[in-house]
Amino acid sequence: MSPPLIQFMTKILHPNVSRHGNIGLDSIHHNWSLALTISKILLSIQSLLTDPYLHVCMEPTIAK
C-alpha cells in the first residue's frame, strides 16, 4: 500500500534528481495514490527528465 522505492543507480546530472539518485517527484512521495500504476509513474519520470521543474529542485546548483 506504500509507494514504490525508485531511484537512479547510475549518476545523473539533473536538477530534480539528487546526487544519491532519489527522484524529486511529488506523486511518488507526498501525493501517492493506489490508482497510480508503474506505467504512469514511469511516464511521470520521463516527463520530469524531459522538462525539469526548476521551482523546486533537489540540486539547486545544477538548476542554475
Side-chain angles (χ1 to χ4, degrees):
M1 298 297 173
S2 60
L5 299 175
I6 302 172
Q7 79 179 61
F8 284 98
M9 300 301 289
T10 304
K11 199 172 219 178
I12 182 169
L13 188 66
H14 194 276
N16 300 114
V17 178
S18 76
R19 66 187 78 178
H20 303 291
N22 299 322
I23 304 169
L25 189 61
D26 199 35
S27 60
I28 59 173
H29 295 290
H30 305 292
N31 291 331
W32 172 247
S33 168
L34 290 176
L36 291 174
T37 62
I38 291 296
S39 62
K40 289 179 183 177
I41 292 172
L42 291 175
L43 185 62
S44 296
I45 293 171
Q46 180 182 13
S47 175
L48 183 69
L49 290 175
T50 304
D51 187 27
Y53 186 65
L54 298 176
H55 299 292
V56 179
C57 53
M58 298 181 82
E59 295 292 333
T61 55
I62 296 173
K64 290 179 184 179

Coordinates of all heavy atoms in Angstrom, one line a residue:
M1 N 0.8 -1.2 0.0 CA 0.0 0.0 0.0 C 0.9 1.3 0.0 O 0.3 2.3 -0.1 CB -0.9 0.0 1.2 CG -1.9 -1.1 1.3 SD -3.0 -1.0 -0.1 CE -3.9 -2.5 0.0
S2 N 2.2 1.1 0.1 CA 3.0 2.3 0.2 C 3.6 2.5 -1.2 O 3.6 1.6 -2.1 CB 4.1 2.1 1.2 OG 4.9 1.0 0.9
P3 N 4.1 3.7 -1.5 CA 4.7 4.0 -2.9 C 5.9 3.1 -3.1 O 6.7 2.8 -2.2 CB 5.0 5.5 -2.8 CG 5.1 5.8 -1.4 CD 4.2 4.9 -0.7
P4 N 6.2 2.9 -4.4 CA 7.5 2.1 -4.7 C 8.7 2.9 -4.4 O 8.7 4.2 -4.5 CB 7.3 1.8 -6.2 CG 6.4 2.9 -6.7 CD 5.5 3.2 -5.6
L5 N 9.8 2.3 -4.1 CA 11.1 3.0 -3.9 C 11.8 3.0 -5.3 O 12.1 2.0 -5.8 CB 11.9 2.2 -2.9 CG 11.3 2.1 -1.5 CD1 12.2 1.2 -0.6 CD2 11.1 3.4 -0.9
I6 N 11.9 4.2 -5.8 CA 12.5 4.4 -7.1 C 13.7 5.3 -7.0 O 13.6 6.4 -6.3 CB 11.5 5.1 -8.1 CG1 10.2 4.2 -8.2 CG2 12.1 5.3 -9.4 CD1 9.1 4.8 -8.9
Q7 N 14.8 4.9 -7.5 CA 16.0 5.8 -7.6 C 16.9 5.4 -8.7 O 16.8 4.2 -9.2 CB 16.7 5.8 -6.2 CG 17.6 4.6 -6.0 CD 18.4 4.7 -4.7 OE1 17.7 4.8 -3.6 NE2 19.7 4.7 -4.7
F8 N 17.7 6.3 -9.2 CA 18.6 6.0 -10.2 C 19.9 5.4 -9.6 O 20.4 5.9 -8.6 CB 19.0 7.3 -11.0 CG 18.0 7.8 -11.9 CD1 17.1 8.8 -11.6 CD2 17.9 7.2 -13.2 CE1 16.2 9.3 -12.4 CE2 16.9 7.7 -14.1 CZ 16.0 8.7 -13.7
M9 N 20.4 4.3 -10.2 CA 21.6 3.7 -9.8 C 22.8 4.3 -10.4 O 23.9 4.4 -9.9 CB 21.6 2.2 -10.1 CG 20.4 1.4 -9.4 SD 20.4 1.5 -7.7 CE 21.8 0.5 -7.3
T10 N 22.6 4.8 -11.7 CA 23.7 5.5 -12.4 C 23.6 7.0 -12.1 O 22.5 7.5 -12.0 CB 23.5 5.3 -13.9 OG1 23.4 3.9 -14.2 CG2 24.6 5.9 -14.7
K11 N 24.7 7.6 -11.9 CA 24.8 9.0 -11.6 C 24.1 9.8 -12.8 O 24.4 9.5 -13.9 CB 26.2 9.5 -11.4 CG 26.3 10.7 -10.7 CD 27.8 11.0 -10.3 CE 27.8 11.6 -8.9 NZ 29.1 11.8 -8.5
I12 N 23.3 10.8 -12.5 CA 22.6 11.6 -13.5 C 22.7 13.0 -13.1 O 22.5 13.3 -11.9 CB 21.2 11.1 -13.7 CG1 20.5 11.9 -14.8 CG2 20.4 11.1 -12.4 CD1 19.2 11.3 -15.2
L13 N 23.0 13.9 -14.0 CA 23.1 15.3 -13.8 C 21.7 16.0 -14.1 O 21.5 16.3 -15.3 CB 24.2 15.9 -14.6 CG 24.6 17.4 -14.3 CD1 25.1 17.5 -12.9 CD2 25.6 17.8 -15.3
H14 N 20.9 16.2 -13.1 CA 19.5 16.7 -13.4 C 19.1 17.4 -12.1 O 19.4 17.0 -11.0 CB 18.6 15.6 -13.7 CG 17.3 16.0 -14.2 ND1 16.2 16.4 -13.4 CD2 16.8 16.1 -15.5 CE1 15.2 16.7 -14.2 NE2 15.5 16.6 -15.4
P15 N 18.4 18.6 -12.2 CA 18.0 19.3 -11.0 C 17.0 18.6 -10.1 O 16.9 18.9 -8.9 CB 17.5 20.7 -11.6 CG 17.2 20.4 -13.0 CD 18.1 19.3 -13.4
N16 N 16.3 17.7 -10.7 CA 15.2 17.0 -9.9 C 15.6 15.6 -9.4 O 14.8 14.9 -9.0 CB 13.9 17.0 -10.7 CG 13.4 18.3 -11.0 OD1 13.3 18.7 -12.2 ND2 13.0 19.1 -10.0
V17 N 16.9 15.3 -9.6 CA 17.5 14.0 -9.1 C 18.6 14.4 -8.2 O 19.5 15.1 -8.6 CB 17.9 13.2 -10.3 CG1 18.5 11.9 -9.8 CG2 16.8 12.9 -11.3
S18 N 18.6 13.8 -7.0 CA 19.7 14.1 -6.0 C 20.9 13.4 -6.4 O 20.9 12.4 -7.2 CB 19.2 13.7 -4.6 OG 19.3 12.3 -4.5
R19 N 22.0 13.8 -5.8 CA 23.3 13.1 -6.1 C 23.3 11.6 -5.6 O 24.1 10.9 -6.0 CB 24.4 13.8 -5.5 CG 24.4 13.8 -3.9 CD 25.4 14.7 -3.4 NE 24.9 16.1 -3.5 CZ 25.5 17.1 -3.0 NH1 26.7 17.1 -2.5 NH2 25.0 18.3 -3.2
H20 N 22.3 11.2 -4.8 CA 22.2 9.9 -4.4 C 21.2 9.1 -5.2 O 21.0 7.9 -5.0 CB 21.7 9.8 -2.9 CG 22.6 10.6 -2.0 ND1 23.9 10.2 -1.7 CD2 22.4 11.7 -1.3 CE1 24.4 11.0 -0.9 NE2 23.6 12.0 -0.6
G21 N 20.6 9.7 -6.2 CA 19.7 9.0 -7.2 C 18.3 9.1 -6.9 O 17.4 8.6 -7.6
N22 N 17.9 9.8 -5.8 CA 16.5 10.0 -5.4 C 15.8 11.0 -6.4 O 16.4 12.0 -6.8 CB 16.4 10.5 -4.0 CG 16.9 9.5 -3.0 OD1 16.8 8.3 -3.2 ND2 17.6 10.0 -2.0
I23 N 14.6 10.7 -6.7 CA 13.9 11.5 -7.7 C 12.9 12.4 -7.0 O 12.1 12.0 -6.1 CB 13.1 10.6 -8.7 CG1 14.0 9.6 -9.3 CG2 12.3 11.4 -9.7 CD1 13.4 8.5 -10.1
G24 N 12.9 13.7 -7.3 CA 12.0 14.7 -6.7 C 10.7 14.8 -7.4 O 10.4 15.7 -8.1
L25 N 9.9 13.7 -7.3 CA 8.7 13.6 -8.0 C 7.6 13.5 -6.9 O 7.6 12.6 -6.1 CB 8.6 12.4 -8.9 CG 7.5 12.3 -9.9 CD1 7.4 13.5 -10.8 CD2 7.6 11.0 -10.7
D26 N 6.7 14.5 -6.9 CA 5.7 14.6 -5.8 C 4.8 13.4 -5.8 O 4.3 12.9 -4.7 CB 4.9 15.9 -6.0 CG 4.2 16.3 -4.7 OD1 4.7 16.0 -3.6 OD2 3.1 16.8 -4.8
S27 N 4.5 12.8 -6.9 CA 3.5 11.7 -7.0 C 4.0 10.4 -6.3 O 3.3 9.5 -6.0 CB 3.0 11.4 -8.4 OG 4.1 11.1 -9.2
I28 N 5.3 10.3 -6.2 CA 5.9 9.1 -5.5 C 6.3 9.3 -4.1 O 6.8 8.4 -3.4 CB 7.0 8.4 -6.3 CG1 8.2 9.4 -6.5 CG2 6.6 7.9 -7.6 CD1 9.4 8.8 -7.1
H29 N 6.1 10.5 -3.6 CA 6.4 10.8 -2.2 C 5.2 11.3 -1.4 O 4.7 10.6 -0.6 CB 7.5 11.9 -2.2 CG 8.8 11.5 -2.7 ND1 9.6 10.5 -2.1 CD2 9.4 11.8 -3.9 CE1 10.7 10.3 -2.8 NE2 10.6 11.1 -3.9
H30 N 4.7 12.5 -1.8 CA 3.6 13.1 -0.9 C 2.2 12.8 -1.5 O 1.3 12.7 -0.7 CB 3.8 14.6 -0.8 CG 5.2 14.9 -0.3 ND1 5.6 14.6 1.0 CD2 6.2 15.5 -0.9 CE1 6.8 15.0 1.2 NE2 7.2 15.5 0.0
N31 N 2.0 12.7 -2.8 CA 0.7 12.6 -3.4 C 0.5 11.2 -3.9 O -0.1 11.0 -5.0 CB 0.5 13.6 -4.5 CG 0.4 15.0 -4.0 OD1 0.0 15.2 -2.9 ND2 0.8 15.9 -4.8
W32 N 1.0 10.2 -3.2 CA 0.9 8.8 -3.7 C -0.6 8.3 -3.6 O -1.3 8.6 -2.7 CB 1.7 7.9 -2.8 CG 1.5 6.4 -3.1 CD1 0.9 5.5 -2.2 CD2 1.8 5.7 -4.3 NE1 0.9 4.3 -2.8 CE2 1.4 4.4 -4.1 CE3 2.4 6.1 -5.5 CZ2 1.6 3.4 -5.1 CZ3 2.6 5.2 -6.4 CH2 2.2 3.8 -6.2
S33 N -0.9 7.6 -4.7 CA -2.3 7.0 -4.7 C -2.2 5.6 -5.3 O -1.3 5.3 -6.1 CB -3.1 7.9 -5.7 OG -4.3 7.2 -6.0
L34 N -3.0 4.8 -4.8 CA -3.0 3.4 -5.3 C -3.5 3.3 -6.8 O -3.3 2.3 -7.4 CB -3.9 2.5 -4.5 CG -3.4 2.2 -3.0 CD1 -4.4 1.5 -2.2 CD2 -2.1 1.5 -3.1
A35 N -4.1 4.4 -7.3 CA -4.5 4.4 -8.7 C -3.3 4.6 -9.6 O -3.5 4.3 -10.8 CB -5.5 5.5 -8.9
L36 N -2.2 5.0 -9.1 CA -1.0 5.1 -10.0 C -0.4 3.8 -10.3 O -0.1 3.0 -9.4 CB 0.0 6.0 -9.3 CG -0.3 7.5 -9.1 CD1 0.8 8.2 -8.3 CD2 -0.5 8.1 -10.5
T37 N -0.2 3.5 -11.5 CA 0.4 2.2 -12.0 C 1.9 2.5 -12.3 O 2.3 3.7 -12.4 CB -0.3 1.7 -13.2 OG1 -0.1 2.7 -14.3 CG2 -1.8 1.4 -13.0
I38 N 2.6 1.5 -12.5 CA 4.0 1.6 -12.8 C 4.2 2.4 -14.1 O 5.1 3.2 -14.2 CB 4.7 0.2 -12.9 CG1 4.8 -0.4 -11.5 CG2 6.1 0.3 -13.5 CD1 5.7 0.3 -10.5
S39 N 3.4 2.1 -15.1 CA 3.5 2.8 -16.3 C 3.2 4.3 -16.2 O 3.9 5.1 -16.8 CB 2.5 2.2 -17.4 OG 1.2 2.3 -17.0
K40 N 2.3 4.7 -15.3 CA 2.0 6.1 -15.1 C 3.2 6.7 -14.3 O 3.6 7.9 -14.6 CB 0.7 6.3 -14.3 CG -0.5 5.9 -15.1 CD -1.7 6.1 -14.2 CE -3.0 5.7 -15.0 NZ -4.2 5.8 -14.2
I41 N 3.8 6.0 -13.4 CA 5.0 6.6 -12.7 C 6.1 6.7 -13.6 O 6.8 7.8 -13.6 CB 5.3 5.6 -11.5 CG1 4.2 5.7 -10.5 CG2 6.7 6.0 -10.9 CD1 4.4 4.7 -9.4
L42 N 6.4 5.8 -14.5 CA 7.5 5.9 -15.5 C 7.3 7.0 -16.5 O 8.2 7.7 -16.8 CB 7.7 4.5 -16.2 CG 8.2 3.4 -15.3 CD1 8.3 2.1 -16.1 CD2 9.6 3.7 -14.8
L43 N 6.0 7.2 -16.9 CA 5.7 8.3 -17.7 C 5.9 9.7 -17.0 O 6.5 10.6 -17.7 CB 4.2 8.2 -18.2 CG 3.8 9.2 -19.2 CD1 4.6 9.1 -20.5 CD2 2.3 9.0 -19.5
S44 N 5.6 9.7 -15.8 CA 5.9 11.0 -15.0 C 7.4 11.2 -14.9 O 7.8 12.4 -15.0 CB 5.3 10.8 -13.6 OG 3.9 10.7 -13.6
I45 N 8.1 10.2 -14.6 CA 9.6 10.3 -14.5 C 10.2 10.8 -15.9 O 11.0 11.7 -16.0 CB 10.3 9.0 -14.1 CG1 9.9 8.8 -12.6 CG2 11.8 9.1 -14.2 CD1 10.3 7.4 -12.1
Q46 N 9.7 10.2 -17.0 CA 10.1 10.5 -18.3 C 9.8 12.0 -18.6 O 10.6 12.8 -19.1 CB 9.5 9.6 -19.3 CG 9.9 10.0 -20.8 CD 9.2 9.1 -21.8 OE1 8.3 8.4 -21.5 NE2 9.7 9.1 -23.0
S47 N 8.6 12.4 -18.2 CA 8.2 13.8 -18.4 C 9.1 14.8 -17.6 O 9.5 15.8 -18.1 CB 6.8 14.0 -18.0 OG 6.4 15.3 -18.1
L48 N 9.4 14.4 -16.3 CA 10.3 15.2 -15.5 C 11.7 15.3 -16.0 O 12.3 16.4 -16.0 CB 10.3 14.6 -14.1 CG 11.1 15.4 -13.0 CD1 10.4 16.7 -12.7 CD2 11.3 14.6 -11.8
L49 N 12.2 14.3 -16.6 CA 13.5 14.3 -17.2 C 13.6 15.2 -18.4 O 14.6 15.8 -18.7 CB 14.0 12.9 -17.5 CG 14.3 12.0 -16.3 CD1 14.6 10.6 -16.8 CD2 15.4 12.6 -15.5
T50 N 12.5 15.1 -19.2 CA 12.4 15.9 -20.4 C 12.2 17.4 -20.1 O 12.8 18.3 -20.7 CB 11.2 15.5 -21.3 OG1 11.4 14.1 -21.6 CG2 11.2 16.2 -22.6
D51 N 11.4 17.7 -19.1 CA 11.0 19.1 -18.8 C 11.2 19.3 -17.3 O 10.3 19.1 -16.5 CB 9.6 19.4 -19.2 CG 9.2 20.8 -19.0 OD1 10.1 21.7 -19.1 OD2 8.0 21.1 -18.8
P52 N 12.4 19.6 -16.8 CA 12.7 19.8 -15.4 C 11.8 20.8 -14.7 O 11.5 21.8 -15.3 CB 14.1 20.1 -15.3 CG 14.7 20.1 -16.6 CD 13.6 20.0 -17.6
Y53 N 11.4 20.6 -13.5 CA 10.7 21.5 -12.7 C 11.7 22.3 -11.8 O 12.2 21.8 -10.8 CB 9.7 20.8 -11.8 CG 8.7 21.7 -11.1 CD1 7.8 22.5 -11.8 CD2 8.7 21.8 -9.7 CE1 7.0 23.4 -11.1 CE2 7.9 22.6 -9.0 CZ 7.0 23.4 -9.7 OH 6.2 24.3 -9.0
L54 N 12.0 23.5 -12.2 CA 13.1 24.3 -11.6 C 12.7 25.1 -10.4 O 13.5 25.6 -9.7 CB 13.7 25.2 -12.6 CG 14.4 24.5 -13.8 CD1 14.9 25.5 -14.8 CD2 15.5 23.6 -13.4
H55 N 11.4 25.2 -10.1 CA 10.9 26.0 -8.9 C 11.2 25.2 -7.6 O 11.5 25.8 -6.6 CB 9.4 26.2 -9.0 CG 9.1 27.1 -10.2 ND1 9.4 28.4 -10.4 CD2 8.4 26.7 -11.4 CE1 9.0 28.8 -11.5 NE2 8.4 27.8 -12.2
V56 N 11.1 23.9 -7.7 CA 11.5 23.1 -6.5 C 12.5 22.0 -7.0 O 12.1 21.1 -7.8 CB 10.3 22.4 -5.9 CG1 10.7 21.5 -4.7 CG2 9.2 23.4 -5.5
C57 N 13.7 22.1 -6.7 CA 14.7 21.2 -7.2 C 15.5 20.6 -6.1 O 15.7 21.2 -5.0 CB 15.6 21.8 -8.3 SG 16.4 23.3 -7.8
M58 N 16.1 19.4 -6.3 CA 16.9 18.8 -5.3 C 18.3 19.2 -5.4 O 19.1 19.0 -4.4 CB 16.7 17.2 -5.5 CG 15.3 16.8 -5.3 SD 15.1 15.0 -5.4 CE 15.6 14.5 -3.8
E59 N 18.8 19.7 -6.5 CA 20.1 20.1 -6.7 C 20.1 21.5 -7.3 O 20.1 21.7 -8.5 CB 20.9 19.2 -7.7 CG 21.0 17.8 -7.2 CD 22.0 17.7 -6.0 OE1 22.9 18.5 -5.8 OE2 21.8 16.7 -5.2
P60 N 20.0 22.5 -6.4 CA 19.9 23.9 -6.9 C 21.1 24.4 -7.7 O 21.0 25.2 -8.6 CB 19.8 24.8 -5.6 CG 19.8 23.8 -4.5 CD 20.0 22.4 -5.0
T61 N 22.3 23.9 -7.4 CA 23.5 24.3 -8.2 C 23.4 23.9 -9.7 O 23.8 24.6 -10.6 CB 24.8 23.8 -7.6 OG1 24.7 22.4 -7.5 CG2 25.0 24.4 -6.2
I62 N 22.8 22.7 -9.9 CA 22.6 22.2 -11.2 C 21.5 23.0 -11.9 O 21.5 23.3 -13.1 CB 22.2 20.7 -11.2 CG1 23.4 19.9 -10.7 CG2 21.9 20.2 -12.6 CD1 23.1 18.5 -10.5
A63 N 20.5 23.4 -11.2 CA 19.4 24.2 -11.8 C 19.8 25.6 -12.3 O 19.3 26.1 -13.2 CB 18.2 24.4 -10.7
K64 N 20.8 26.1 -11.6 CA 21.4 27.4 -12.1 C 22.1 27.3 -13.4 O 22.1 28.1 -14.2 CB 22.3 28.0 -11.0 CG 21.6 28.5 -9.8 CD 22.5 29.0 -8.8 CE 21.8 29.4 -7.5 NZ 22.7 29.9 -6.5

